[in-house]
PDB file of all heavy atoms in Angstrom:
ATOM      1  N   ALA A  15      10.025 -20.468  29.936  1.00 96.00           N
ATOM      2  CA  ALA A  15      11.298 -20.884  29.315  1.00 96.00           C
ATOM      3  C   ALA A  15      12.472 -20.079  29.875  1.00 96.00           C
ATOM      4  O   ALA A  15      13.519 -20.636  30.229  1.00 96.00           O
ATOM      5  CB  ALA A  15      11.209 -20.745  27.808  1.00 96.00           C
ATOM      6  N   ASP A  16      12.272 -18.761  29.973  1.00 95.00           N
ATOM      7  CA  ASP A  16      13.331 -17.915  30.502  1.00 95.00           C
ATOM      8  C   ASP A  16      13.676 -18.253  31.956  1.00 95.00           C
ATOM      9  O   ASP A  16      14.853 -18.294  32.324  1.00 95.00           O
ATOM     10  CB  ASP A  16      12.899 -16.422  30.431  1.00 95.00           C
ATOM     11  CG  ASP A  16      12.929 -15.870  29.024  1.00 95.00           C
ATOM     12  OD1 ASP A  16      13.454 -16.539  28.123  1.00 95.00           O
ATOM     13  OD2 ASP A  16      12.422 -14.752  28.817  1.00 95.00           O
ATOM     14  N   LEU A  17      12.642 -18.493  32.741  1.00 95.00           N
ATOM     15  CA  LEU A  17      12.894 -18.804  34.143  1.00 95.00           C
ATOM     16  C   LEU A  17      13.645 -20.120  34.290  1.00 95.00           C
ATOM     17  O   LEU A  17      14.538 -20.248  35.128  1.00 95.00           O
ATOM     18  CB  LEU A  17      11.562 -18.878  34.906  1.00 95.00           C
ATOM     19  CG  LEU A  17      10.916 -17.479  35.160  1.00 95.00           C
ATOM     20  CD1 LEU A  17       9.474 -17.642  35.640  1.00 95.00           C
ATOM     21  CD2 LEU A  17      11.731 -16.679  36.182  1.00 95.00           C
ATOM     22  N   LEU A  18      13.312 -21.092  33.451  1.00 95.00           N
ATOM     23  CA  LEU A  18      14.043 -22.386  33.488  1.00 95.00           C
ATOM     24  C   LEU A  18      15.475 -22.185  33.043  1.00 95.00           C
ATOM     25  O   LEU A  18      16.423 -22.684  33.636  1.00 95.00           O
ATOM     26  CB  LEU A  18      13.343 -23.403  32.603  1.00 95.00           C
ATOM     27  CG  LEU A  18      11.945 -23.884  33.044  1.00 95.00           C
ATOM     28  CD1 LEU A  18      11.399 -24.881  32.059  1.00 95.00           C
ATOM     29  CD2 LEU A  18      11.998 -24.449  34.460  1.00 95.00           C
ATOM     30  N   GLU A  19      15.639 -21.441  31.929  1.00 95.00           N
ATOM     31  CA  GLU A  19      16.997 -21.269  31.419  1.00 95.00           C
ATOM     32  C   GLU A  19      17.865 -20.532  32.419  1.00 95.00           C
ATOM     33  O   GLU A  19      19.032 -20.824  32.573  1.00 95.00           O
ATOM     34  CB  GLU A  19      16.941 -20.468  30.100  1.00 95.00           C
ATOM     35  CG  GLU A  19      18.331 -20.370  29.460  1.00 95.00           C
ATOM     36  CD  GLU A  19      18.321 -19.612  28.134  1.00 95.00           C
ATOM     37  OE1 GLU A  19      17.270 -19.561  27.471  1.00 95.00           O
ATOM     38  OE2 GLU A  19      19.404 -19.073  27.816  1.00 95.00           O
ATOM     39  N   ALA A  20      17.276 -19.571  33.122  1.00 94.00           N
ATOM     40  CA  ALA A  20      18.028 -18.836  34.130  1.00 94.00           C
ATOM     41  C   ALA A  20      18.550 -19.732  35.223  1.00 94.00           C
ATOM     42  O   ALA A  20      19.522 -19.424  35.881  1.00 94.00           O
ATOM     43  CB  ALA A  20      17.128 -17.730  34.749  1.00 94.00           C
ATOM     44  N   GLN A  21      17.852 -20.876  35.395  1.00 94.00           N
ATOM     45  CA  GLN A  21      18.303 -21.828  36.436  1.00 94.00           C
ATOM     46  C   GLN A  21      19.048 -22.989  35.780  1.00 94.00           C
ATOM     47  O   GLN A  21      19.122 -24.086  36.344  1.00 94.00           O
ATOM     48  CB  GLN A  21      17.075 -22.272  37.214  1.00 94.00           C
ATOM     49  CG  GLN A  21      16.425 -21.100  37.949  1.00 94.00           C
ATOM     50  CD  GLN A  21      15.085 -21.450  38.542  1.00 94.00           C
ATOM     51  OE1 GLN A  21      15.010 -21.970  39.631  1.00 94.00           O
ATOM     52  NE2 GLN A  21      14.024 -21.170  37.813  1.00 94.00           N
ATOM     53  N   ASP A  22      19.613 -22.714  34.594  1.00 93.00           N
ATOM     54  CA  ASP A  22      20.460 -23.681  33.900  1.00 93.00           C
ATOM     55  C   ASP A  22      19.772 -25.004  33.546  1.00 93.00           C
ATOM     56  O   ASP A  22      20.453 -26.024  33.405  1.00 93.00           O
ATOM     57  CB  ASP A  22      21.737 -23.953  34.714  1.00 93.00           C
ATOM     58  CG  ASP A  22      22.635 -22.716  34.745  1.00 93.00           C
ATOM     59  OD1 ASP A  22      22.686 -22.008  33.702  1.00 93.00           O
ATOM     60  OD2 ASP A  22      23.231 -22.447  35.788  1.00 93.00           O
ATOM     61  N   VAL A  23      18.466 -24.996  33.428  1.00 93.00           N
ATOM     62  CA  VAL A  23      17.787 -26.186  32.922  1.00 93.00           C
ATOM     63  C   VAL A  23      18.086 -26.322  31.424  1.00 93.00           C
ATOM     64  O   VAL A  23      18.083 -25.314  30.716  1.00 93.00           O
ATOM     65  CB  VAL A  23      16.263 -26.081  33.110  1.00 93.00           C
ATOM     66  CG1 VAL A  23      15.514 -27.259  32.503  1.00 93.00           C
ATOM     67  CG2 VAL A  23      15.922 -25.936  34.590  1.00 93.00           C
ATOM     68  N   GLU A  24      18.432 -27.526  30.984  1.00 90.00           N
ATOM     69  CA  GLU A  24      18.763 -27.683  29.572  1.00 90.00           C
ATOM     70  C   GLU A  24      17.565 -28.167  28.750  1.00 90.00           C
ATOM     71  O   GLU A  24      16.634 -28.740  29.280  1.00 90.00           O
ATOM     72  CB  GLU A  24      19.906 -28.680  29.438  1.00 90.00           C
ATOM     73  CG  GLU A  24      21.218 -28.083  29.914  1.00 90.00           C
ATOM     74  CD  GLU A  24      22.417 -28.965  29.547  1.00 90.00           C
ATOM     75  OE1 GLU A  24      22.787 -28.931  28.375  1.00 90.00           O
ATOM     76  OE2 GLU A  24      22.890 -29.681  30.440  1.00 90.00           O
ATOM     77  N   TYR A  25      17.631 -27.962  27.484  1.00 91.00           N
ATOM     78  CA  TYR A  25      16.643 -28.439  26.464  1.00 91.00           C
ATOM     79  C   TYR A  25      15.207 -27.891  26.639  1.00 91.00           C
ATOM     80  O   TYR A  25      14.615 -27.368  25.738  1.00 91.00           O
ATOM     81  CB  TYR A  25      16.589 -29.966  26.383  1.00 91.00           C
ATOM     82  CG  TYR A  25      17.964 -30.569  26.282  1.00 91.00           C
ATOM     83  CD1 TYR A  25      18.473 -31.388  27.273  1.00 91.00           C
ATOM     84  CD2 TYR A  25      18.787 -30.280  25.190  1.00 91.00           C
ATOM     85  CE1 TYR A  25      19.743 -31.941  27.181  1.00 91.00           C
ATOM     86  CE2 TYR A  25      20.073 -30.796  25.095  1.00 91.00           C
ATOM     87  CZ  TYR A  25      20.545 -31.628  26.092  1.00 91.00           C
ATOM     88  OH  TYR A  25      21.793 -32.113  26.003  1.00 91.00           O
ATOM     89  N   LYS A  26      14.675 -28.076  27.878  1.00 93.00           N
ATOM     90  CA  LYS A  26      13.286 -27.724  28.083  1.00 93.00           C
ATOM     91  C   LYS A  26      12.961 -26.270  27.671  1.00 93.00           C
ATOM     92  O   LYS A  26      11.911 -26.040  27.037  1.00 93.00           O
ATOM     93  CB  LYS A  26      12.943 -27.924  29.595  1.00 93.00           C
ATOM     94  CG  LYS A  26      11.533 -28.378  29.827  1.00 93.00           C
ATOM     95  CD  LYS A  26      11.391 -28.911  31.253  1.00 93.00           C
ATOM     96  CE  LYS A  26      10.010 -28.677  31.779  1.00 93.00           C
ATOM     97  NZ  LYS A  26       9.851 -29.053  33.183  1.00 93.00           N
ATOM     98  N   PRO A  27      13.840 -25.310  27.993  1.00 94.00           N
ATOM     99  CA  PRO A  27      13.507 -23.922  27.546  1.00 94.00           C
ATOM    100  C   PRO A  27      13.243 -23.831  26.071  1.00 94.00           C
ATOM    101  O   PRO A  27      12.269 -23.184  25.642  1.00 94.00           O
ATOM    102  CB  PRO A  27      14.740 -23.123  27.967  1.00 94.00           C
ATOM    103  CG  PRO A  27      15.312 -23.890  29.108  1.00 94.00           C
ATOM    104  CD  PRO A  27      15.065 -25.333  28.818  1.00 94.00           C
ATOM    105  N   ASN A  28      14.083 -24.501  25.276  1.00 92.00           N
ATOM    106  CA  ASN A  28      13.873 -24.397  23.817  1.00 92.00           C
ATOM    107  C   ASN A  28      12.581 -25.056  23.377  1.00 92.00           C
ATOM    108  O   ASN A  28      11.916 -24.576  22.457  1.00 92.00           O
ATOM    109  CB  ASN A  28      15.057 -25.004  23.062  1.00 92.00           C
ATOM    110  CG  ASN A  28      16.249 -24.032  23.079  1.00 92.00           C
ATOM    111  OD1 ASN A  28      16.041 -22.817  23.210  1.00 92.00           O
ATOM    112  ND2 ASN A  28      17.428 -24.553  22.930  1.00 92.00           N
TER     113      ASN A  28
END
Side-chain angles (χ1 to χ4, degrees):
D16 285 350
L17 287 167
L18 294 179
E19 186 179 335
Q21 298 170 84
D22 292 323
V23 175
E24 288 191 77
Y25 312 116
K26 213 165 150 186
N28 282 336

